[in-house]
Amino acid sequence: MRRFLASSTGVAACAAFVLPLALPPGASAATLPTDPRDAPPAPRVQPVQAAPDVPGSTQSLPLPDRPADSADPETSEPPASEPPSSEPWSSEAPSEAPSARSSAPTRVPERGRYEPRVRPFSLVGVVWDDAGAELHGTVQIRTRAAGTGDWSGWQDIETHTGDHGADPGTAEAASGRLRGATAPLWVGASDGVEVRVRGEGADRELPRGLRLELVDPGQFAPGAAEAPGGPGAAGAPGVPALLPASRTVRPAAAARPPYPDGFPESFLAGQYAASRPGITSRKQWGANESLREGGYVYTRTVKAAFVHHTSTGNNYTCAQAPSVLRGIYRYHVVSSGWRDFGYNFAVDKCGNIYEGRAGGVTKAVLGAHTLGFNSNTMGVAVLGTYNKTGPSAAVETAVARLTAWKLGLFQADPRGKVTLTSGGSGKYKKGRKISFNVISGHRDGVSTDCPGTRLYNRLPAIRTASADYQGRG
């Protein structure tokens, strides 16, 4: 593969500027309700100890509009040192944003970029100008570990498109900021990168404005605060691991639990409810609230839960999970142009639960997790990739407990069925009514393999356990 090298000046200038994402005048995002009962609740967590944090950053490196050589990714090796500055295909420093967007693809079969020296980063992805354009092809990445200088092998990045994002017709979709994007990939602390993008299909076309996003999630020390629910198995420092390690999931006591956050008792008229699990707040995992749009957007209710995996890989420790979340958050907002983190909740591989999109964990917050079916649903993303790796017992327990509690607030039966109306996606046209399991996989709503076959196959057991937690056994 031909190497593409930016000058040292260009690399230094390639960090994306972080601009406030304030709503424009007249935007339709919901404002805070006037009824105190409907106000977004304050997170019910112990105060977080004050600690210094280091803001993250994003480096945006355009992929030159020149074909790369067809080197074998399994046998070719990056040079041990930086190529000479006279290398003919050096690229210019990227601009802050594209001057114009076009849905027309570029007829280039392959593009690549080699950057032996960039500021440290831990998460990587590829974005392009038009959110409606699809990348038909493959994206491969390899990175150099910070500290050791060792290069990884080639890794595939999931080139999903059209299966995540804001529903058509929403203010978020009409913002003009959305971009097409691959899934992000967690690579750990790295300071060098090589990427190749290969087109597939009859014309091997690639969308315009392809660029490599290198995300530094920053550092954050939340202290030893623990969310409600009591102590549990060892997990990430400062993040409670509350869930049993046994693969047999059993409900808590059948007595109706108290509900925190001042949730209106009128919602609890039904017979079934479940205890709230421990949830690590956005403040605890270090979400930079200045990145997202102000305000919150709500729907009427929560009828169903869609389970996802983040496709970020499983090469993270549970102590790194907050960093993974901060990386995904920055990738969703800064790189992809979303108003906030896409999922309502996240679960790491140790079973720790995290607050996702802002607006209150008890509320029906509108997410951007399942295109066409974000309204009146919730999205739960398990950090990792579960096509060939099965979820841990702690993951299954966490998803069961979380869905039992949240669906119980709106009296939804985890073992039941629900009819949802599509807001428009590649799989279901706008207005079509579809029957779903109340706990469904992402693939049930859109054309994707998410949440991975191994996790998807565990959803029947998760539905049963969730219903047991609600006392429906």
Side-chain angles (χ1 to χ4, degrees):
M1 172 181 174
R2 191 180 301 280
R3 317 295 182 184
F4 295 95
L5 170 64
S7 67
S8 59
T9 302
V11 172
C14 66
F17 292 94
V18 178
L19 300 178
L21 297 178
L23 289 174
S28 60
T31 56
L32 296 180
T34 55
D35 188 334
R37 295 178 304 170
D38 295 331
R44 189 176 185 268
V45 296
Q46 300 296 325
V48 177
Q49 299 176 3
D53 62 273
V54 178
S57 63
T58 303
Q59 301 171 73
S60 185
L61 308 179
L63 301 185
D65 294 336
R66 296 183 184 274
D69 292 336
S70 299
D72 183 353
E74 299 302 327
T75 60
S76 60
E77 292 296 334
S81 61
E82 181 178 348
S85 59
S86 59
E87 210 281 342
W89 300 127
S90 62
S91 58
E92 298 179 355
S95 58
E96 178 182 339
S99 57
R101 295 183 179 179
S102 171
S103 59
T106 303
R107 292 177 180 270
V108 178
E110 180 172 313
R111 299 193 207 174
R113 182 156 188 148
Y114 173 68
E115 291 287 355
R117 296 178 181 174
V118 290
R119 294 198 311 273
F121 63 95
S122 297
L123 183 138
V124 63
V126 170
V127 303
W128 53 94
D129 292 346
D130 186 357
E134 296 187 2
L135 195 165
H136 295 287
T138 60
V139 177
Q140 293 178 310
I141 193 86
R142 58 182 171 188
T143 55
R144 188 178 68 181
T148 67
D150 295 333
W151 284 89
S152 72
W154 285 98
Q155 300 182 74
D156 292 325
I157 295 181
E158 184 177 317
T159 58
H160 67 211
T161 182
D163 54 7
H164 293 73
D167 287 351
T170 63
E172 185 172 2
S175 68
R177 293 190 296 270
L178 301 185
R179 304 180 186 93
T182 68
L185 179 68
W186 178 260
V187 294
S190 305
D191 60 8
V193 64
E194 186 170 9
V195 63
R196 70 188 332 153
V197 181
R198 288 174 168 169
E200 293 179 352
D203 296 320
R204 294 171 60 88
E205 296 174 338
L206 295 173
R208 293 189 182 278
L210 281 174
R211 51 198 179 276
L212 178 65
E213 298 285 292
L214 306 178
V215 180
D216 170 19
Q219 300 175 12
F220 181 78
E226 183 175 281
V239 179
L242 305 175
L243 308 175
S246 170
R247 198 160 188 84
T248 302
V249 181
R250 300 204 178 277
R256 194 170 84 176
Y259 279 80
D261 299 340
F263 198 87
E265 287 295 325
S266 60
F267 278 87
L268 306 178
Q271 178 181 358
Y272 301 104
S275 298
R276 170 176 169 165
I279 301 172
T280 301
S281 71
R282 289 170 62 93
K283 183 176 181 180
Q284 284 182 305
W285 59 259
N288 181 349
E289 300 296 353
S290 68
L291 293 182
R292 67 175 179 86
E293 277 187 354
Y296 311 106
V297 183
Y298 300 104
T299 57
R300 293 185 299 104
T301 185
V302 176
K303 296 180 178 180
F306 285 99
V307 178
H308 304 250
H309 67 174
T310 57
S311 299
T312 46
N314 302 317
N315 295 324
Y316 71 93
T317 67
C318 292
Q320 292 174 320
S323 294
V324 178
L325 285 169
R326 293 196 302 275
I328 296 173
Y329 173 44
R330 181 171 286 272
Y331 187 74
H332 282 177
V333 177
V334 178
S335 301
S336 304
W338 298 2
R339 76 183 310 270
D340 193 357
F341 192 83
Y343 311 104
N344 299 102
F345 297 93
V347 176
D348 69 26
K349 61 186 179 183
C350 290
N352 300 302
I353 303 172
Y354 303 83
E355 178 185 11
R357 180 163 287 206
V361 294
T362 62
K363 301 299 181 181
V365 178
L366 179 65
H369 49 85
T370 307
L371 186 68
F373 298 100
N374 291 308
S375 183
N376 299 322
T377 68
M378 60 184 281
V380 180
V382 180
L383 300 183
T385 305
Y386 294 94
N387 294 312
K388 298 180 180 179
T389 300
S392 67
V395 164
E396 294 181 26
T397 304
V399 175
R401 290 190 63 187
L402 174 62
T403 53
W405 166 72
K406 185 63 181 279
L407 293 172
L409 297 180
F410 299 89
Q411 290 303 299
D413 183 352
R415 293 179 301 191
K417 297 280 188 177
V418 63
T419 299
L420 302 175
T421 302
S422 174
S425 70
K427 187 172 183 178
Y428 296 115
K429 293 182 179 180
K430 184 176 182 179
R432 184 173 173 181
K433 296 183 182 300
I434 308 297
S435 177
F436 290 98
N437 290 306
V438 168
I439 298 178
S440 286
H442 187 193
R443 65 173 65 179
D444 295 322
V446 297
S447 299
T448 177
D449 66 358
C450 180
T453 300
R454 293 293 188 91
L455 178 53
Y456 186 80
N457 289 344
R458 295 300 301 169
L459 292 186
I462 289 172
R463 293 182 193 110
T464 298
S466 182
D468 286 346
Y469 274 112
Q470 284 189 357
R472 295 178 186 268

